[in-house]
Amino acid sequence: MRILVTGGSGFLGSHLSEKLVGFGHDVICLDNFYTGHRNNIEHLVSKSNFELVRHDVTFPYYVEVDRIYNLACPASPIHYQANPVQTTKTSVHGAINMLGLAKRTGARILQASTSEVYGDPEIHPQTEDYWGRVNPIGIRSCYDEGKRCAETLFFDYHRQYAVDIRVARIFNTYGPRMHPKDGRVVSNFIVQALKGEDITVYGDGSQTRSFCFVDDLIEGLLAFMDVDKGFPGPINIGNPTEFTMLELAESVLKLTNSASRLVFKELPQDDPKQRKPDISLAKEKLSWEPKVQLNEGLLKTIQYFSKLDLK
Ligand SMILES: NC(=O)c1ccc[n+]([C@@H]2O[C@H](COP(=O)([O-])OP(=O)(O)OC[C@H]3O[C@@H](n4cnc5c(N)ncnc54)[C@H](O)[C@@H]3O)[C@@H](O)[C@H]2O)c1
């Protein structure tokens, strides 16, 4: 198959592209390199079934493809808040352009949506039928509402034009090739521990998150793309095992043998207190569930970061 991966040089996109190339598909990796980096896909560039295209999804792109994975969008608050208007455009115009392409070519299209569509949730864990509690005018809204609008577009293209869609709601994912300066908690803690700097914990560290290792996440996306027509989602893909930020910090300190100290700072605006996927639907529909334990995934991630120049 010929497969387009938008955001293909980013953290998740590069792992996905690597898998698809390994399966023997022709992969077109499209990226504007806003947060993605050539290093992430350097090992794929010489392969005959891999093609790299510099392009911004907010502009139309024409190519004959069988499948599209739409991952293009900065995913960390530091990056998506740097240019919030562009973030909303990437989600919304990007969705329109990629859905238009899917409509024209008859390609099946998967949207990398997010647990952020649930906002600061009143129910726990979050099931797919929960509509969310999102601030429409806050500093995270460019991302949260952009992704919500993209979901709306996906379902309208599905209902109106019978486009074969897949909407995956991705929960916190970590692993090698995360951006070292993306400000996300796992990369923050690891980088700080490796540099011997203070580890910054927001709030009192009792807020919980669930973390999915990248290999598990990619397996989930591939399984979802492959299930028979007729199941558009949305579907939660993530790891339901919860850890407090304090537990995470302690694991990182232990695995890096770091002498860093924990320091506590005020919680950022609209930071959800708790986030955990209910993955019953993914288990039922995709026969998928995560396998990698946090310590195993953290170790692989630490090995990756320890080879980088972190100055
Ligand atoms: N990593 C997570 O924990 C997580 C959680 C939920 C959802 N997601 C979603 O998964 C997708 C990939 O996330 P990631 O963690 O790999 O982030 P990332 O920032 O590493 O990757 C995003 C990629 O999209 C590219 N991009 C951004 N704007 C673009 C544009 N206008 N045109 C073309 N390319 C553009 C970037 O250069 C980058 O390569 C995103 O859509 C994100 O919202 C990720």
Side-chain angles (χ1 to χ4, degrees), residues 150-223:
E151 286 201 7
T152 306
L153 285 160
F154 266 70
F155 276 84
D156 282 336
Y157 268 75
H158 178 59
R159 283 184 286 257
Q160 201 171 332
Y161 304 119
V163 172
D164 186 4
I165 61 155
R166 310 287 144 117
V167 174
R169 291 184 179 152
I170 301 171
F171 282 66
N172 272 340
T173 303
Y174 71 100
R177 301 191 203 136
M178 289 182 89
H179 197 298
K181 292 192 178 146
D182 67 5
R184 285 191 265 189
V185 65
V186 176
S187 44
N188 255 4
F189 284 2
I190 293 178
V191 170
Q192 289 168 334
L194 288 174
K195 289 167 86 174
E197 292 173 353
D198 289 346
I199 296 203
T200 324
V201 179
Y202 291 100
D204 61 3
S206 65
Q207 72 275 34
T208 62
R209 288 290 184 279
S210 57
F211 303 102
C212 187
F213 187 61
V214 62
D215 291 357
D216 281 332
L217 192 279
I218 299 300
E219 290 301 323
L221 295 184
L222 292 167

Side-chain angles (χ1 to χ4, degrees), residues 7 9-12 31-36 55-57 71-75 86 90 112-114 143 147 170-173 184:
S9 76
F11 163 45
L12 299 182
D31 210 293
N32 71 348
F33 297 106
Y34 175 51
T35 48
H55 183 81
D56 189 314
V57 286
L71 272 62
C73 185
Q86 174 67 13
T90 294
S113 190
T114 169
Y143 184 72
K147 289 284 187 178
I170 301 171
F171 282 66
N172 272 340
T173 303
R184 285 191 265 189

Side-chain angles (χ1 to χ4, degrees), residues 14-303:
S14 62
H15 286 276
L16 177 63
S17 298
E18 185 179 302
K19 275 271 177 194
L20 295 170
V21 165
F23 292 146
H25 297 297
D26 283 326
V27 174
I28 301 167
C29 165
L30 181 153
D31 210 293
N32 71 348
F33 297 106
Y34 175 51
T35 48
H37 202 281
R38 214 186 140 88
N39 288 348
N40 291 340
I41 36 102
E42 196 66 58
H43 60 300
L44 300 176
V45 171
S46 61
K47 310 260 183 204
S48 58
N49 58 337
F50 181 83
E51 204 177 324
L52 181 59
V53 177
R54 182 185 283 266
H55 183 81
D56 189 314
V57 286
T58 60
F59 297 97
Y61 179 69
Y62 303 100
V63 66
E64 288 298 320
V65 280
D66 305 295
R67 289 187 173 178
I68 304 167
Y69 287 88
N70 188 35
L71 272 62
C73 185
S76 66
I78 284 183
H79 292 129
Y80 70 64
Q81 286 166 2
N83 187 344
V85 172
Q86 174 67 13
T87 299
T88 306
K89 279 186 184 169
T90 294
S91 276
V92 177
H93 293 199
I96 291 170
N97 289 329
M98 291 305 126
L99 284 161
L101 182 63
K103 180 178 166 228
R104 257 189 321 275
T105 56
R108 182 177 289 182
I109 179 167
L110 181 145
Q111 165 70 354
S113 190
T114 169
S115 56
E116 303 291 335
V117 300
Y118 299 124
D120 192 1
E122 300 118 314
I123 68 153
H124 191 73
Q126 292 86 49
T127 44
E128 291 83 352
D129 55 5
Y130 176 56
W131 290 354
R133 191 166 79 103
V134 176
N135 175 358
I137 56 166
I139 57 171
R140 299 173 75 107
S141 313
C142 57
Y143 184 72
D144 303 3
E145 296 289 23
K147 289 284 187 178
R148 284 168 69 93
C149 183
E151 286 201 7
T152 306
L153 285 160
F154 266 70
F155 276 84
D156 282 336
Y157 268 75
H158 178 59
R159 283 184 286 257
Q160 201 171 332
Y161 304 119
V163 172
D164 186 4
I165 61 155
R166 310 287 144 117
V167 174
R169 291 184 179 152
I170 301 171
F171 282 66
N172 272 340
T173 303
Y174 71 100
R177 301 191 203 136
M178 289 182 89
H179 197 298
K181 292 192 178 146
D182 67 5
R184 285 191 265 189
V185 65
V186 176
S187 44
N188 255 4
F189 284 2
I190 293 178
V191 170
Q192 289 168 334
L194 288 174
K195 289 167 86 174
E197 292 173 353
D198 289 346
I199 296 203
T200 324
V201 179
Y202 291 100
D204 61 3
S206 65
Q207 72 275 34
T208 62
R209 288 290 184 279
S210 57
F211 303 102
C212 187
F213 187 61
V214 62
D215 291 357
D216 281 332
L217 192 279
I218 299 300
E219 290 301 323
L221 295 184
L222 292 167
F224 187 24
M225 186 59 121
D226 280 343
V227 288
D228 288 340
K229 196 170 176 172
F231 181 59
I235 196 162
N236 291 338
I237 310 224
N239 191 323
T241 313
E242 279 183 298
F243 293 90
T244 65
M245 294 303 95
L246 275 183
E247 286 170 320
L248 176 71
E250 274 150 20
S251 295
V252 169
L253 281 178
K254 206 162 134 199
L255 292 169
T256 49
N257 281 323
S258 171
S260 293
R261 294 175 314 135
L262 302 188
V263 293
F264 294 85
K265 289 202 176 152
E266 212 176 302
L267 271 180
Q269 191 193 335
D270 292 342
D271 194 56
K273 311 277 173 300
Q274 235 181 357
R275 190 65 77 49
K276 166 182 166 164
D278 180 319
I279 57 163
S280 315
L281 197 60
K283 284 185 184 165
E284 181 203 323
K285 298 276 187 190
L286 315 179
S287 305
W288 170 88
E289 61 183 310
K291 299 189 188 85
V292 181
Q293 299 296 317
L294 184 70
N295 276 0
E296 184 190 341
L298 281 179
L299 206 54
K300 288 185 179 165
T301 314
I302 289 166
Q303 282 161 357

